[in-house]
Amino acid sequence: MADKEATIFIIDVGASMGETHGGRTQSDFDWAMTYVWDKITSIVATERKTLNVGVVVLRTAGTSNDQQDDDSYAHVSVVHPLGQVQLPELRRLMKVLRVSQTDRGDAISAVVVAIEMISKFCKKLKYKRKIVLVTNGTGSFEPDGLEQIAAKISEDNIELVVLGVDFDDLEYGYKEEDKDEVKAENERTLHTLVDGCNGVIGTLVQAIDELGEPRLKVTRPVPSYKDNFTLGNPEEFESALVIDVERYPRTMLRRPATASNFVQRTDLSNAAGSTQSTGTVVPEGEQEEARDPTGLTHVKYARAYRVKDDEAPGGKRDVPYEDLAKGYEYGRTAVHISESDQLVTKMETEAGMQIIGFIPWANYDRYMSMTASSTVVPQRTNKKAILAMSSLIHALYELESYAIARFVPKKGKEPVLTLLAPSVDVDYECLIDVQLPFAEDFRPHKFPPLDRVLTVSGKVLKEHRNLPNDTLLDAMSDYVDSMDLSKFGRNDEGNPTEYMPIKETYSPVLHRIDQAIRWRAVHPTGEVPPPYEILTRYSKIPAELVENAQTEIQKLIAAADVKKVPPKLAGRKRGRDSIKPISGIDVEKLLAQPGPSSASNGSASTSSHQAQAKPTISPDNAIPTFRQALDRAESVEAIHDAAAQLGRIIEARIRDSFGDQKYARAIEEMGVLRQEMIEMEEPGQWNGFLRGLKGKVLGEDLGGERREVWWGIRRARLGLVTGREAPQSKVTEEEAREFWGTTSKV
């Protein structure tokens, strides 16, 4: 369970906070609230009920606190008592927190109010207690009793953080010029208070600059396995090694927030008969239960199972889930296995981790690691297990070996193979495990070698136009060395170090989404700011590194004989010029000329008719002959005829296909047809063909049930050509999306 926390933000809203300083375009208040909103929205995003937040406002026009009868606590108001902050409270705070018209109010008194709030709320319970004071340090401060206040803060174990607008911070390298003497004196007063309770005081410049650095989520270790770790069979041999161990995740993929987790409630009124959107409708008795205080609503999903039934309305009948039976695909049929026989398909296993062998480090290929890594450690309170595990870890480390184990995390689970690698640090020892593949998991694809060429006769060529020579290899090696990042960075002392260590490389997608969510929670309208610099820092090559490698790049370009490729034309237009040979001879014209015998018989007209006959696309070689037909096409009608021929060939393949044997070839031909029609500026020909094909597939006019080929066409994204792809098309993006539905009109 996460630790309970109580944090109070004291925000200065005095009239002087509405002024602008330091060359900023924002007022001091708006600039300071950048930090406050970021912290509060981060707290809201956790959805933790144990994370309590309070907000106290300093230098307000009125007074609202438990000590308001004392004039010393005037102009201090509690706008949000300690408790969980959710979206409604966040929106209310946005309306309440505004710059006031007075500068009267004491920041020290506001700290005392916050101390009393924490004491009453937390009592003697275990809490992480924190007070954050955000002020510009102007106005009157009462320094009386600072020692007693500091002692109370230390006694209650409260962390005090003071962030000042344009406060001096020599360690960070910031100093405000021409500082007002009253503000300087107030800064010294706050330094005295903070030093007395071991708190933290700093300039708001540093705090806001550090907002861009992602805050990593701290997770408590949760064991995925707590049982025996054995070497040998302890049931048969007394010499078998048995160690009580625990297994924890070492690395785990963190995924960004998904939009489906945040659904806004769409109630149109507060009346009992209010209408809800179809996506959030719940039973009448569960409406109050489904509503969430954050302004969101829970979405409940319903799943229906249907089978074909000609006698039922619509041709389909609902089937209860209890009537369903499980089956396994066997070819094109389903093999039913009853629940009583399900045990046949499951292995009876017991939880355990047994070592089955050892391998040297050199014999393990890193690509065999299939999963995230986990850490195996002995039980914390078991000294015998700690000693035994330490001995095993050091033995593996000294012998440079890995252990192979059979691992079953829970009873009845499938066994897996894991690799156990020793990890020895100064004050920490453990085994790191990753899952290994079985024989069925391998994909042993073979590719031609890169360092030699094998001829058809079996001859091996070491020198070839497709092989790099020694000059090119040396140039590439020098270029790789010049782009080395391992020592391109600089540490605090200016010494070479790694440029982008893993601990400083953050996921841009994950933190960008978090940033956008937090910003939109506070600013429902307006443009989301650009991502923080730290998220995009490693998205581009350092300019200095490229500049230093210019010499090697030029040598590599010369050795590889790199030449600029001419830009590709936007598309192939109909009526384009045919490619002519260097000799200038028109081969097509020569082939079309009649032979001597034909000329003597007076059949010139017949030969001319044959030369002008429309080309025929061969089903056995459809794509090349189709492209040749387009190359010879001299009219729009010829293009349409070639497309129609290929369309009939595609339909014939689907109709004559045994199962899905010819689907891949048909889809490939459809891709060529679509691309060629776009380049020929005839998207209507493709759209018409696709609409007709859909009607025939759904109407089962191509040899029965062929919906599987339609899903293949959809996976290949061979949809209607829209106006964005070809200006000649009148199909909109919305029409193209609706076309994929099996119930949409053709």
Side-chain angles (χ1 to χ4, degrees):
M1 180 180 177
D3 295 331
K4 293 183 289 185
E5 300 182 24
T7 304
I8 293 182
F9 291 91
I10 304 175
I11 304 171
D12 190 345
V13 297
S16 60
M17 289 287 288
E19 301 174 0
T20 302
H21 299 92
R24 296 182 292 270
T25 57
Q26 292 178 296
S27 66
D28 292 348
F29 175 77
D30 292 336
W31 185 59
M33 290 306 296
T34 303
Y35 170 83
V36 176
W37 290 134
D38 185 86
K39 293 299 180 183
I40 294 180
T41 52
S42 298
I43 293 172
V44 174
T46 62
E47 299 182 3
R48 283 174 48 190
K49 295 183 178 180
T50 58
L51 211 165
N52 304 280
V53 175
V55 179
V56 177
V57 182
L58 168 65
R59 296 199 289 181
T60 58
T63 304
S64 177
N65 59 74
D66 292 344
Q67 290 85 19
Q68 59 186 3
D69 295 336
D70 190 341
D71 293 340
S72 300
Y73 299 95
H75 303 286
V76 176
S77 301
V78 179
V79 296
H80 185 270
L82 275 169
Q84 185 182 10
V85 177
Q86 295 181 330
L87 193 57
E89 289 80 12
L90 182 62
R91 297 283 169 82
R92 186 181 65 83
L93 287 174
M94 292 173 56
K95 298 178 181 179
V96 172
L97 297 178
R98 293 288 186 271
V99 177
S100 68
Q101 301 299 320
T102 181
D103 277 331
R104 301 176 61 185
D106 180 21
I108 306 300
S109 299
V111 173
V112 175
V113 171
I115 295 173
E116 292 296 325
M117 292 174 60
I118 290 180
S119 299
K120 291 181 179 180
F121 183 84
C122 301
K123 299 180 175 62
K124 298 296 182 180
L125 301 176
K126 184 179 179 181
Y127 274 86
K128 287 184 177 180
R129 311 168 192 213
K130 186 176 183 179
I131 297 175
V132 180
L133 170 61
V134 180
T135 179
N136 63 357
T138 61
S140 60
F141 281 31
E142 295 294 338
D144 296 338
L146 286 182
E147 294 182 0
Q148 292 81 356
I149 297 174
K152 178 63 175 176
I153 293 175
S154 300
E155 178 184 347
D156 291 351
N157 197 22
I158 299 175
E159 178 186 1
L160 176 62
V161 178
V162 178
L163 296 174
V165 177
D166 296 328
F167 275 21
D168 295 341
D169 192 333
L170 299 181
E171 293 184 0
Y172 187 68
Y174 183 85
K175 180 177 176 59
E176 184 183 16
E177 301 296 336
D178 301 327
K179 187 186 295 291
D180 181 75
E181 184 58 34
V182 175
K183 181 176 180 179
E185 180 62 28
N186 291 338
E187 284 190 36
R188 288 190 287 270
T189 300
L190 291 174
H191 272 282
T192 303
L193 175 62
V194 169
D195 294 341
C197 61
N198 295 324
V200 178
I201 184 170
T203 177
L204 199 60
V205 175
Q206 179 181 2
I208 292 180
D209 288 346
E210 293 178 352
L211 287 181
E213 184 172 348
R215 293 173 291 275
L216 300 183
K217 183 179 180 181
V218 179
T219 57
R220 282 179 169 263
V222 178
S224 58
Y225 173 77
K226 294 178 69 174
D227 211 319
N228 293 334
F229 177 52
T230 60
L231 175 59
N233 189 350
E235 296 180 358
E236 297 183 6
F237 306 100
E238 296 181 357
S239 59
L241 177 65
V242 180
I243 306 175
D244 295 326
V245 298
E246 299 175 355
R247 182 175 183 262
Y248 297 90
R250 178 85 171 205
T251 58
M252 184 174 292
L253 179 64
R254 181 184 172 188
R255 302 185 183 277
T258 56
S260 59
N261 291 338
F262 305 92
V263 182
Q264 189 71 34
R265 190 169 66 235
T266 55
D267 299 342
L268 300 181
S269 68
N270 293 326
S274 63
T275 305
Q276 293 182 328
S277 67
T278 56
T280 59
V281 170
V282 296
E284 181 178 357
E286 300 179 11
Q287 288 184 1
E288 294 300 326
E289 180 181 336
R291 292 179 181 178
D292 192 274
T294 60
L296 307 177
T297 182
H298 299 289
V299 179
K300 293 190 176 182
Y301 300 91
R303 179 176 295 179
Y305 300 90
R306 296 179 179 178
V307 296
K308 288 185 178 181
D309 189 348
D310 297 336
E311 298 180 358
K316 293 184 178 180
R317 173 172 54 88
D318 290 343
V319 178
Y321 175 78
E322 295 76 13
D323 295 345
L324 300 180
K326 290 186 178 181
Y328 295 86
E329 285 192 10
Y330 186 72
R332 301 292 296 177
T333 61
V335 177
H336 168 61
I337 296 181
S338 62
E339 293 187 6
S340 59
D341 295 334
Q342 281 293 323
L343 295 177
V344 177
T345 63
K346 293 184 179 181
M347 296 184 63
E348 296 183 3
T349 57
E350 296 291 336
M353 180 180 288
Q354 301 93 24
I355 295 178
I356 59 178
F358 304 91
I359 61 170
W361 292 356
N363 291 1
Y364 178 72
D365 296 321
R366 296 188 64 179
Y367 64 80
M368 293 186 181
S369 301
M370 293 184 61
T371 60
S373 59
S374 298
T375 300
V376 180
V377 295
Q379 286 185 353
R380 302 177 186 178
T381 58
N382 191 332
K383 295 183 179 180
K384 183 178 179 181
I386 294 174
L387 180 61
M389 178 62 81
S390 179
S391 302
L392 176 61
I393 293 173
H394 279 273
L396 291 173
Y397 186 80
E398 293 172 3
L399 295 176
E400 298 184 352
S401 298
Y402 297 133
I404 307 296
R406 177 184 182 272
F407 177 53
V408 180
K410 292 182 180 180
K411 181 178 180 180
K413 292 286 186 179
E414 295 83 1
V416 297
L417 289 178
T418 61
L419 179 86
L420 298 169
S423 177
V424 178
D425 207 341
V426 177
D427 55 353
Y428 184 74
E429 299 174 354
C430 68
L431 290 175
I432 300 176
D433 80 86
V434 291
Q435 184 176 336
L436 295 176
F438 289 105
E440 296 80 6
D441 301 323
F442 271 106
R443 298 294 183 268
H445 304 298
K446 287 190 176 182
F447 301 95
L450 299 178
D451 60 343
R452 60 190 183 278
V453 173
L454 301 178
T455 64
V456 178
S457 61
K459 186 178 180 180
V460 179
L461 301 179
K462 291 292 185 177
E463 294 183 1
H464 191 269
R465 60 185 179 86
N466 293 334
L467 295 177
N469 53 33
D470 294 339
T471 303
L472 180 56
L473 291 174
D474 294 339
M476 180 60 74
S477 178
D478 294 340
Y479 172 64
V480 172
D481 293 338
S482 66
M483 296 291 288
D484 185 13
L485 294 175
S486 61
K487 295 183 179 180
F488 181 71
R490 291 292 184 271
N491 57 18
D492 297 337
E493 290 76 21
N495 299 323
T497 185
E498 187 178 359
Y499 174 66
M500 47 181 300
I502 294 297
K503 293 184 178 180
E504 297 179 7
T505 308
Y506 304 99
S507 169
V509 175
L510 192 151
H511 295 290
R512 174 57 175 167
I513 292 178
D514 289 348
Q515 176 194 3
I517 292 173
R518 294 198 307 269
W519 177 268
R520 187 56 74 211
V522 180
H523 307 86
T525 59
E527 186 177 355
V528 178
Y532 295 121
E533 184 273 336
I534 194 172
L535 299 180
T536 59
R537 179 182 302 168
Y538 301 124
S539 299
K540 50 186 178 296
I541 304 175
E544 182 182 354
L545 187 66
V546 176
E547 184 178 355
N548 296 339
Q550 281 302 312
T551 303
E552 288 75 11
I553 291 176
Q554 296 302 323
K555 291 181 179 179
L556 179 61
I557 292 175
D561 193 20
V562 177
K563 297 179 181 179
K564 186 177 180 180
V565 178
K568 186 178 180 181
L569 298 178
R572 296 188 301 174
K573 311 296 183 182
R574 56 172 174 262
R576 60 187 182 273
D577 296 335
S578 59
I579 300 175
K580 296 181 179 180
I582 299 177
S583 61
I585 300 175
D586 192 344
V587 179
E588 298 291 338
K589 186 176 181 180
L590 292 176
L591 294 176
Q593 290 180 356
S597 59
S598 300
S600 60
N601 294 333
S603 58
S605 59
T606 305
S607 300
S608 175
H609 174 73
Q610 292 176 351
Q612 297 178 0
K614 63 181 181 180
T616 302
I617 300 175
S618 170
D620 298 331
N621 199 21
I623 293 177
T625 54
F626 172 66
R627 285 175 170 161
Q628 292 173 5
L630 294 181
D631 290 337
R632 297 177 183 177
E634 297 181 356
S635 64
V636 177
E637 291 74 15
I639 297 174
H640 292 180
D641 180 74
Q645 289 188 58
L646 183 59
R648 289 191 292 270
I649 292 174
I650 293 171
E651 292 179 357
R653 292 202 197 285
I654 298 174
R655 183 186 302 108
D656 300 337
S657 176
F658 181 74
D660 58 354
Q661 287 183 350
K662 298 182 180 181
Y663 288 172
R665 188 172 181 182
I667 292 173
E668 180 186 5
E669 293 168 349
M670 288 180 64
V672 174
L673 175 60
R674 186 181 191 274
Q675 185 62 31
E676 293 291 344
M677 290 301 101
I678 293 176
E679 295 180 353
M680 288 290 181
E681 299 180 353
E682 291 292 335
Q685 191 71 19
W686 162 261
N687 292 339
F689 163 74
L690 188 62
R691 288 190 175 100
L693 180 65
K694 177 182 178 181
K696 294 178 181 179
V697 170
L698 299 184
E700 300 184 359
D701 298 334
L702 296 178
E705 174 63 42
R706 298 291 183 181
R707 288 177 181 258
E708 187 174 348
V709 73
W710 184 249
W711 302 126
I713 296 171
R714 183 170 183 176
R715 284 193 299 270
R717 299 183 178 181
L718 300 178
L720 296 175
V721 177
T722 62
R724 183 175 59 85
E725 298 176 277
Q728 298 78 15
S729 175
K730 298 181 180 180
V731 179
T732 63
E733 296 286 342
E734 184 178 357
E735 291 174 347
R737 287 192 296 268
E738 293 177 353
F739 177 76
W740 285 123
T742 55
T743 58
S744 63
K745 295 182 179 180
V746 178

